[in-house]
Amino acid sequence: HNRLLTLPPSMSQLRKLNWLFAHGNRLSDGPGLLQMLSQLPRLKICGLGANQLQLSGVDLRMRASFGLGWNLGLEEPGVLSEALTTCDLLWDPLVPGEVQETLVITFSAQGAPVAQGQAEVRALRDALLRVDSLLLCDPANAWYLQDPTGSWAGLEYFDAKLRPITERYRNVFIWGGSMGGSAALLFAHLADCVHAFSPQVDLVLTWPTFATATVREAFRERVQRSVRQCRGSVTVHVGEENHTDVRHASLLPPCAKVHFHDTANHNTMKHLKNREKLLPLLKFEVVGMLLGVAACTSKTDREAA
């Protein structure tokens, strides 16, 4: 978000560079830049979403993980994986052409290499839970506040993409971590159950300062309103020793439940996953939704008889 037109050629000498994030700039030399970055031996993570990179015909099969959504010349349909992201939304029905009763929406930050939830959705399906999946990321890495044009109309943009899909489902489960957790709260009004892991609730608490006061206030108001409008429960997970995350959680509406975990780690999703508690939590919530659907269907069948 610095309006950079180019990156210096001397970056090719950074042989120990692991991460590079340059979202929301005006970088345009797609082939040349990717060629230079692909030669860095230790580069693992590279976020270049929401630039002006011309990527038509460019081979995107690279060793490092790249987030490239909202650039030029990208092929449709896009890719949203832990290795490569070229779009902001990927709808993945369990059975092509069919709509299940329950939709699991996973929000991530910039996409690859921090696309979340895909392994967990596969595990839910391996457990014979019939769920459709919707994966979203923010190529601008801007808390879903920007759209592909770079304007601050992201909430309207993503709302317009989400609603036609969520309206097809009886149950909608939303989850995400950090910026993805914030998105889970921003769009909680579309859900029946939400789990947000270490979300940012008020961008006034972020450092360095992000966007303008007007944008930050719009974010804060949207979180408060959307959480109150959730059709079911909103649960937020934070590490009890992470004081910044605890401050964010303290600003939630009273209707939200806050669960404190024994960690100082901001990544509470990873904390639970390492302790083999994340997947059981998701299964518990999804099974509860499916049982609710089954009970409702059974009641309707009896009344019809």
Side-chain angles (χ1 to χ4, degrees), residues 3-303:
R3 300 185 179 181
L4 297 174
L5 299 177
T6 61
L7 295 179
S10 57
M11 288 193 66
S12 63
Q13 304 302 312
L14 300 177
R15 313 301 289 178
K16 296 183 179 180
L17 181 67
N18 293 135
W19 290 28
L20 173 64
F21 295 109
H23 313 87
N25 287 285
R26 297 176 182 175
L27 305 175
S28 59
D29 181 15
L33 179 57
L34 293 188
Q35 182 180 15
M36 179 185 73
L37 294 175
S38 66
Q39 295 174 358
L40 296 177
R42 296 193 182 181
L43 185 65
K44 298 178 181 178
I45 296 172
C46 188
L48 298 172
N51 276 281
Q52 298 174 13
L53 299 173
Q54 179 51 256
L55 300 175
S56 178
V58 177
D59 187 354
L60 301 180
R61 295 172 297 177
M62 293 169 285
R63 176 184 49 79
S65 296
F66 276 78
L68 297 171
W70 294 359
N71 279 290
L72 306 176
L74 292 167
E75 295 181 359
E76 296 289 345
V79 178
L80 205 167
S81 71
E82 295 177 354
L84 175 67
T85 296
T86 64
C87 62
D88 54 32
L89 180 150
L90 180 65
W91 188 13
D92 178 28
L94 174 65
V95 180
E98 293 185 11
V99 174
Q100 305 302 315
E101 297 283 357
T102 299
L103 175 67
V104 176
I105 300 179
T106 307
F107 282 103
S108 302
Q110 61 139 353
V114 289
Q116 299 167 334
Q118 298 179 30
E120 284 71 28
V121 169
R122 288 193 296 268
L124 292 175
R125 291 173 171 177
D126 289 344
L128 303 183
L129 299 178
R130 300 184 64 82
V131 297
D132 286 347
S133 172
L134 184 63
L135 305 171
L136 290 102
C137 72
D138 177 6
N141 218 37
W143 282 278
Y144 288 78
L145 294 171
Q146 288 190 317
D147 64 14
T149 70
S151 66
W152 297 100
L155 296 177
E156 295 81 3
Y157 169 81
F158 283 103
D159 249 331
K161 299 194 78 169
L162 280 164
R163 282 187 182 275
I165 299 175
T166 59
E167 289 173 352
R168 300 171 179 234
Y169 292 89
R170 181 172 293 184
N171 288 321
V172 177
F173 175 81
I174 293 180
W175 70 305
S178 193
M179 189 181 294
S182 296
L185 301 180
L186 288 168
F187 298 96
H189 58 285
L190 301 175
D192 301 282
C193 182
V194 174
H195 279 263
F197 298 80
S198 303
Q200 293 78 45
V201 175
D202 189 337
L203 297 182
V204 169
L205 302 181
T206 62
W207 185 92
T209 301
F210 179 79
T212 66
T214 300
V215 170
R216 294 193 296 271
E217 179 59 17
F219 174 93
R220 188 197 68 80
E221 291 180 354
R222 171 62 175 257
V223 167
Q224 299 294 317
R225 183 172 67 253
S226 185
V227 168
R228 291 194 203 93
Q229 292 176 349
C230 179
R231 297 188 294 265
S233 62
V234 175
T235 302
V236 171
H237 302 261
V238 296
E240 62 184 356
E241 298 177 25
N242 189 303
H243 302 300
T244 299
D245 289 347
V246 170
R247 286 182 70 192
H248 278 288
S250 71
L251 301 177
L252 287 162
C255 59
K257 306 172 187 176
V258 180
H259 190 91
F260 295 97
H261 297 273
D262 183 19
T263 181
N265 193 339
H266 170 66
N267 194 341
T268 47
M269 188 181 290
K270 182 177 180 180
H271 173 78
L272 290 176
K273 190 171 185 176
N274 289 342
R275 285 154 182 77
E276 299 183 350
K277 294 182 178 180
L278 181 62
L279 184 57
L281 168 64
L282 300 179
K283 284 183 178 179
F284 177 83
E285 295 289 14
V286 171
V287 168
M289 292 178 127
L290 292 171
L291 289 175
V293 170
C296 182
T297 302
S298 177
K299 180 180 178 182
T300 302
D301 290 343
R302 289 197 302 271
E303 291 175 348

